[in-house]
């Protein structure tokens, strides 16, 4: 497919989170990539090849507008707790600068159809306001990246995430653990967005005010556990594996202010939106190769098992 490389500015690229992988993916794809970061941020992790590193207070709309003039895309990848306070100013600046595409901080799940969305509102509802803001400003189109739980991030988080605690050799499987869900690695999110942003105008137009579904793996909790056991050389008999009703876990987690099992148990529940395999972008057409689940899982297992035990 012919490519149309673009001028992309990424905000939120300094940490080790998704913004840094989006930056990497965009650079590797050949886009001209700039970074806008806060006045006080540490930029030492930003890789070479970036066109410019600009500093600005994110609520200084005039300053950010000046930095965004001439850019084709503004990608926002702001930490969840900070996003609500700062993202609106950056979107206002993008419109003032005439930037035609904004990728707002999404990078989540679309459990939009059913009851649990009510429960998940604290996590996802705040993001809708920014998509609405972009539409009302009428300058840019938004592209919302859906990637479900990030694979390595979630395996590292252990029990409250996919229910698999590699360090403690314990697993909690929801509804038998066989429900397929999509999960995406950090690098794949970056590569997917970069490839879509390199589509010619007519193709990219299909993503205007629309969702972009990325995925590395279409797996169940049991598939993930099997891959972990393969990486460790252990068998299930050496682990404590329990099965729980996803509905019960969701209800339990909903009572707490921030219990991430609410999200993970919903995503692992049949019919609640965690399996979006039929919507995933056409990776063959984008020229992006399938990753190896066992290799990704093993790298996390090695990391966790080689870490010193927490001190008492
Ligand atoms: N799918 C998943 O599994 C998953 C998991 C967690 C989060 N998410 C989503 O992904 C988004 C990004 O998460 P992340 O973990 O990549 O973010 P992160 O690494 O915590 O933060 C990304 C960037 O946000 C900026 N930032 C941090 N604190 C800020 C503050 N107080 N004010 C202004 N900017 C601040 C920083 O960039 P500068 O220093 O350059 O300003 C930072 O590098 C979240 O908002 C959430 O919606 C998805």
């Amino acid at each position: 497919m012919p490519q149309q490389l673009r001028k992309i500015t990424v905000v939120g690229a300094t940490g080790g989170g998704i913004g840094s992988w989006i930056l990497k993916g965009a650079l590797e794809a050949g886009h001209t990539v700039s970074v806008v970061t806060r006045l006080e941020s540490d930029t030492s992790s930003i890789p070479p090849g970036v066109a410019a590193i600009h500093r600005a207070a994110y609520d200084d709309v005039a300053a950010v507008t000046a930095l965004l003039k001439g850019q084709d895309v503004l990608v926002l990848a702001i930490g969840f707790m900070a996003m609500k306070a700062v993202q609106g100013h950056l979107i206002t600046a993008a419109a003032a600068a005439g930037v035609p595409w904004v990728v707002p901080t999404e990078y989540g799940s679309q459990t939009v159809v059913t009851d649990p969305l009510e429960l998940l509102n604290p996590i996802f509802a705040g993001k809708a306001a920014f998509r609405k803001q972009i539409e009302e400003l009428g300058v840019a189109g938004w592209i919302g990246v859906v990637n479900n739980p990030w694979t390595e991030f979630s395996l590292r988080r252990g029990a409250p995430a996919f229910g698999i605690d590699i360090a403690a050799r314990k697993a909690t499987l929801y509804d038998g653990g066989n429900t397929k869900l999509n999960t995406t690695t950090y690098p794949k999110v970056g590569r997917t967005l970069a490839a879509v942003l390199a589509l010619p105008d007519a193709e990219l137009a299909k993503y205007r005010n629309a969702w972009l579904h990325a995925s590395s793996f279409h797996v169940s909790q049991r598939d993930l556990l099997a891959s972990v056991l393969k990486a460790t050389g252990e068998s299930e008999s050496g682990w404590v594996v329990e099965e729980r009703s996803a509905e019960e876990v969701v209800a339990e987690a909903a009572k707490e202010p921030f219990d991430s099992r609410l999200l993970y148990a919903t995503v692992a529940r049949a019919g609640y939106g965690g399996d979006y395999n039929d919507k995933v972008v056409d990776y063959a057409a984008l020229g992006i190769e399938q990753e190896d689940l066992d290799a990704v899982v093993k790298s996390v297992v090695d990391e966790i098992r080689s870490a010193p035990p927490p001190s008492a």
Side-chain angles (χ1 to χ4, degrees):
M1 190 175 291
Q3 284 201 326
Q4 188 173 335
L5 297 173
R6 292 186 165 83
K7 290 187 195 131
I8 300 176
T9 291
V10 183
V11 178
T14 55
I18 198 62
S20 64
W21 292 96
I22 289 171
L23 172 64
K24 195 166 183 282
L27 285 171
E28 282 172 6
H31 294 290
T32 301
V33 194
S34 300
V35 166
V36 174
T37 185
R38 285 171 295 165
L39 300 169
E40 68 275 21
S41 293
D42 176 2
T43 57
S44 57
S45 64
I46 294 188
V50 169
I53 300 175
H54 301 293
R55 289 182 180 277
Y58 291 165
D59 60 358
D60 185 344
V61 173
V64 179
T65 301
L67 298 175
L68 294 179
K69 286 255 163 70
Q71 295 296 295
D72 301 313
V73 187
L74 172 64
V75 177
L76 300 164
I78 319 261
F80 187 70
M81 301 310 282
M83 175 190 66
K84 281 185 190 161
V86 298
Q87 187 161 250
H89 300 296
L90 296 161
I91 290 170
T92 302
V99 178
W101 291 98
V102 174
V103 179
T105 306
E106 288 282 346
Y107 317 110
S109 305
Q110 268 195 324
T111 50
V112 285
V113 276
T114 41
D115 185 38
L117 180 67
E118 301 291 320
L119 300 173
L120 290 166
N121 263 348
I123 305 178
F124 295 124
K127 296 179 173 180
F130 297 114
R131 300 195 303 275
K132 190 161 176 255
Q133 183 191 358
I134 297 165
E135 289 175 19
E136 285 176 356
L137 285 164
V139 177
W142 57 263
I143 300 174
V145 176
V146 176
N147 46 222
N148 253 10
W150 298 321
T151 318
E152 345 60 334
F153 170 90
S154 303
L155 287 168
R156 282 184 196 122
R157 291 197 65 199
F162 287 136
I164 299 171
D165 188 333
I166 295 167
R169 295 177 174 79
K170 285 184 184 166
T172 304
L173 304 177
Y174 305 130
D175 295 343
N178 290 309
T179 309
K180 295 277 185 192
L181 56 90
N182 291 89
T183 172
T184 317
T185 64
Y186 283 129
K188 187 76 167 274
V189 176
R191 275 183 230 129
T192 308
L193 183 58
V196 166
L197 292 176
L199 291 172
D201 281 342
E203 287 293 313
L204 187 60
K206 294 175 189 160
Y207 288 94
R208 188 178 167 85
N209 298 343
W211 299 100
L212 159 56
H213 290 81
S215 178
S216 294
F217 309 114
H218 183 229
V219 286
S220 65
Q221 279 184 293
R222 281 206 174 272
D223 295 332
L224 290 167
L225 178 59
S227 183
V228 168
L229 293 175
K230 190 170 167 185
T232 58
E234 294 161 358
S235 65
E236 208 173 303
S237 58
W239 278 52
V240 177
V241 179
E242 64 162 357
E243 293 191 15
R244 291 205 59 194
S245 142
E247 188 179 359
E248 267 176 40
V249 173
V250 165
E252 205 173 281
K255 291 181 191 146
E256 304 297 326
F258 280 107
D259 186 333
S260 52
R261 293 177 309 153
L262 177 58
L263 171 63
Y264 283 88
T266 300
V267 165
R269 201 171 167 193
Y272 285 80
D275 179 349
Y276 56 74
N277 214 40
D278 56 338
K279 296 182 187 155
V280 172
V281 287
D282 183 346
Y283 279 115
L286 291 176
I288 296 177
E289 284 178 14
Q290 172 63 28
E291 297 153 288
D292 179 351
L293 174 68
D294 288 340
V296 171
V297 170
K298 186 164 183 351
S299 71
V300 179
V301 165
D302 290 349
E303 186 186 299
I304 290 173
R305 288 291 173 88
S306 63
S311 51

